Amino acid sequence: NESKVAEIRQREESSLTPRPYLTVGGGCLYFIGLICQFTPFCDVFGLIYPGIEFFHGFCYTFVILGSFVLALCTFLFVIGLCWSCTRPWAAIVLIAVGLLGELMLFGGIVSIVIWTLVAIGIFYIYFKWAPEYFDDKQKEFPGWLQDLGNFWQLSSSADEWKKAAAIGGENLGAESRGLVGGFPGGKWMLQQGDEASQAIQEAKDKMSGQGPTQSGTI
C-alpha cells in the first residue's frame, strides 16, 4: 500500500526532527565542558611560573581556542564514525579533517590557523564546489561525492523548537516503554500505568466538564 509506505516514511522523517538540535547542542556542551576542565591549569601554571607573562592572560585565550578546536575535531570525528556505513566517503573527509586538527592542535596557534584554512578549503571543495560543478555540467554525481545532510541546520523559529522537543519527548517515551516492557513484569507495569493515567484524565474531564452542573444540582 503506497499510502501506508508514505505514512511510515513521513513518520521516520519527523522522528529525525530533533537530531540537528541534539547534535549541535551536544557539541556545544562538550566545548563548555572542555573549557571548565582546562581553565584551572592556567592558574596552576601561573603559580608554578609566576614570572612568565604567557600565563597572565594568553593562557586563557589559548584554552578557549584550543577547546573549541578540540571540540570541533572530536565532533567531526564522531559524525564521521556515525556516517561510516551510510555516507562512507563523506565520513572519510570528516574523520581525516578531525584527526588532522587534533594533531595540529599540539603545534600552537600557528598550527591551528593553518588547520583552519586547510579545513575550510577541503570542506568548500568537497561539499560546495564539486556539487555545483557537476550541477553546472548536468552530470550525475559520482559515488564518492556525498552531501552533509541536515544535521547542522537549525531553525530560529520557536515553533520548530517546540515541535522538535515534543517529537524528542515522544521518541524517548516510546523507547523507554520498549525498554521497560522487556523486563519481567514490565508489560503489566505499563498496563497499570496506562490505566492510572486514563483514570486521572477521566477525573479531570469530569471536574472540568461536569463540575458546574453538579454544583448547581446540589
Side-chain angles (χ1 to χ4, degrees), residues 76 87-98 122-123 126-127 144:
L76 295 175
R87 292 189 178 100
W89 292 104
I92 292 175
V93 173
L94 296 182
I95 292 174
V97 173
I122 293 175
F123 287 152
Y126 186 83
F127 294 109
W144 53 265

Side-chain angles (χ1 to χ4, degrees), residues 1-16:
N1 192 347
E2 294 183 357
S3 60
K4 187 65 174 180
V5 173
E7 181 182 354
I8 294 175
R9 289 181 177 177
Q10 184 178 2
R11 189 184 308 165
E12 291 180 352
E13 291 179 357
S14 63
S15 66
L16 298 178

Side-chain angles (χ1 to χ4, degrees), residues 13 44 84 115 154:
E13 291 179 357
V44 174
S84 59
W115 172 82
L154 303 179

Side-chain angles (χ1 to χ4, degrees), residues 12-33:
E12 291 180 352
E13 291 179 357
S14 63
S15 66
L16 298 178
T17 302
R19 183 176 61 176
Y21 301 92
L22 296 175
T23 304
V24 177
C28 293
L29 291 177
Y30 182 64
F31 168 58
I32 295 174

Side-chain angles (χ1 to χ4, degrees), residues 96-163:
V97 173
L99 292 178
L100 179 62
E102 293 186 359
L103 293 176
M104 298 289 283
L105 183 62
F106 295 98
I109 299 295
V110 177
S111 298
I112 292 177
V113 173
I114 295 175
W115 172 82
T116 302
L117 297 176
V118 172
I120 292 175
I122 293 175
F123 287 152
Y124 176 80
I125 293 174
Y126 186 83
F127 294 109
K128 178 70 174 178
W129 179 82
E132 291 181 352
Y133 172 81
F134 286 99
D135 280 338
D136 294 339
K137 297 295 183 180
Q138 296 182 352
K139 295 181 179 180
E140 184 179 356
F141 282 15
W144 53 265
L145 187 60
Q146 299 168 332
D147 59 12
L148 276 172
N150 65 340
F151 81 93
W152 54 276
Q153 296 176 354
L154 303 179
S155 174
S156 58
S157 174
D159 294 334
E160 293 294 331
W161 299 349
K162 293 178 181 179
K163 179 181 177 182

Side-chain angles (χ1 to χ4, degrees), residues 190-205:
L190 292 175
Q191 183 179 0
Q192 296 300 316
D194 292 339
E195 293 177 356
S197 299
Q198 184 177 0
I200 294 173
Q201 185 62 39
E202 291 177 355
K204 289 182 179 179
D205 294 339

Side-chain angles (χ1 to χ4, degrees), residues 74-89:
T74 306
F75 180 82
L76 295 175
F77 181 78
V78 172
I79 294 296
L81 290 180
C82 295
W83 284 1
S84 59
C85 294
T86 57
R87 292 189 178 100
W89 292 104

